[in-house]
C-alpha cells in the first residue's frame, strides 16, 4: 500500500524568507509525486509533479520540489515567500506504470502554510 | 477550457434523503476520480473510472454509495439513504492518461 506523510500540520514563515514544506512517501514501485494547493472553500490546484528525469522540478507560482529517492522525500520549496502563498498544501503519490499500481492518488494530511507580513 | 465542473456547489439535506452529486470532466480526459475530504480522514479516493468504466471502487464506504459514468462528459455520485456522517466536501477530478489530475471546486454536503 502507498502512503504519504506530511510531518508538519503548520509551517510559519516570514514574508521574503525561503520556505520548505516537507513530504515523505512510501510506494512499492516507482513513484509519481504531486503537490497541490488548496485555498479556503476552493478545490485543489495543481502546482507541480515528478514523474521521471531531473530531480528538481519547477512548478507554478515560483514553487519547486526536489525528489530524493534515497530519503523517499519530495519537499516543496520556494526561495522567497509571499503572503499570498498562505494556504493548505497537499503532497500526493501514486505508483508509476512500471509498478503496476492503481491510478488513484494517495494524499498526505496537508500542511497549513502561513506567511507573516 | 472551463475545467472540471461540479454541481451543486452546496447541498443541505436531511438524514435518509437521496443525494446526487454531478461532475463534468475536462473534455478529452479519459480518467475520472471521486474523492471525499473530511477533517478527520483528509482526502480519500472513493472510486475512479477509465473510459467510462469503473476500475476501482474499493474506497466507496458502503453500499449506500454508488457512482455512474454514462458517457465521457458526465458522472454522478449518489448517496441513498444519506446519513450525517456523510457530511464532507466531495471532489471530482479528471486526467488524461492517469497523470496530472485536475480538480473541480467541490460539493459541500451537509446531512442534518
Amino acid at each position: 500500500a502507498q502512503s504519504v506523510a506530511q510531518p508538519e500540520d503548520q509551517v510559519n514563515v516570514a514574508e521574503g524568507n525561503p520556505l520548505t514544506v516537507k513530504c515523505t512517501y512510501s510506494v512499492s514501485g516507482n513513484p509519481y509525486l504531486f503537490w497541490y494547493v488548496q485555498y479556503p472553500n476552493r478545490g485543489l490546484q495543481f502546482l507541480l509533479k515528478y514523474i521521471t528525469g531531473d530531480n528538481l522540478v519547477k512548478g507554478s507560482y515560483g514553487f519547486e520540489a526536489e525528489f530524493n529517492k534515497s530519503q523517499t522525500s519530495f519537499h516543496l520549496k520556494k526561495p522567497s515567500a509571499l503572503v499570498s502563498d498562505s494556504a493548505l498544501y497537499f503532497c500526493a503519490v501514486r505508483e508509476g506504470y512500471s509498478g503496476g499500481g492503481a491510478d488513484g492518488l494517495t494524499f498526505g494530511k496537508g500542511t497549513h502554510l502561513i506567511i507573516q507580513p | 477550457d472551463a475545467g472540471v465542473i461540479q454541481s451543486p456547489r452546496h447541498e443541505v439535506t436531511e438524514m435518509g434523503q437521496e443525494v446526487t452529486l454531478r461532475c463534468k470532466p475536462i473534455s478529452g480526459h479519459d480518467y475520472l476520480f471521486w474523492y471525499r475530504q473530511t477533517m478527520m480522514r483528509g482526502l480519500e479516493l472513493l472510486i475512479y473510472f477509465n473510459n467510462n468504466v469503473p476500475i476501482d471502487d474499493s474506497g466507496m464506504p458502503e453500499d449506500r454509495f454508488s457512482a455512474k459514468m454514462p458517457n465521457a462528459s458526465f458522472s454522478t455520485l449518489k448517496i441513498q439513504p444519506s446519513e450525517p456522517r456523510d457530511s464532507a466536501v466531495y471532489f471530482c477530478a479528471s486526467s488524461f492518461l492517469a497523470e496530472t489530475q485536475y480538480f473541480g471546486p467541490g460539493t459541500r454536503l451537509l446531512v442534518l
Side-chain angles (χ1 to χ4, degrees), chain A residues 36 38 41 49 94 97, chain B residues 35 37 97-98 100-101 108:
Chain A
Y36 287 85
Q38 185 178 30
N41 301 314
K49 67 181 177 184
R94 55 155 289 209
Y97 286 111
Chain B
Y35 291 88
Q37 184 179 34
L97 296 181
T100 304
Q101 295 181 23
R108 189 173 295 272

Side-chain angles (χ1 to χ4, degrees), chain A residues 51-66:
Chain A
I51 303 295
T52 187
D54 195 349
N55 289 344
L56 184 62
V57 177
K58 294 188 183 296
S60 306
Y61 312 119
F63 284 93
E64 59 188 29
E66 185 166 11

Side-chain angles (χ1 to χ4, degrees), chain A residues 24-66:
Chain A
T24 58
Y25 67 90
S26 175
V27 70
S28 300
N30 293 322
Y32 286 11
L33 293 154
F34 302 82
W35 276 102
Y36 287 85
V37 59
Q38 185 178 30
Y39 296 97
N41 301 314
R42 302 283 296 275
L44 277 72
Q45 286 180 239
F46 169 72
L47 275 181
L48 52 78
K49 67 181 177 184
Y50 171 83
I51 303 295
T52 187
D54 195 349
N55 289 344
L56 184 62
V57 177
K58 294 188 183 296
S60 306
Y61 312 119
F63 284 93
E64 59 188 29
E66 185 166 11

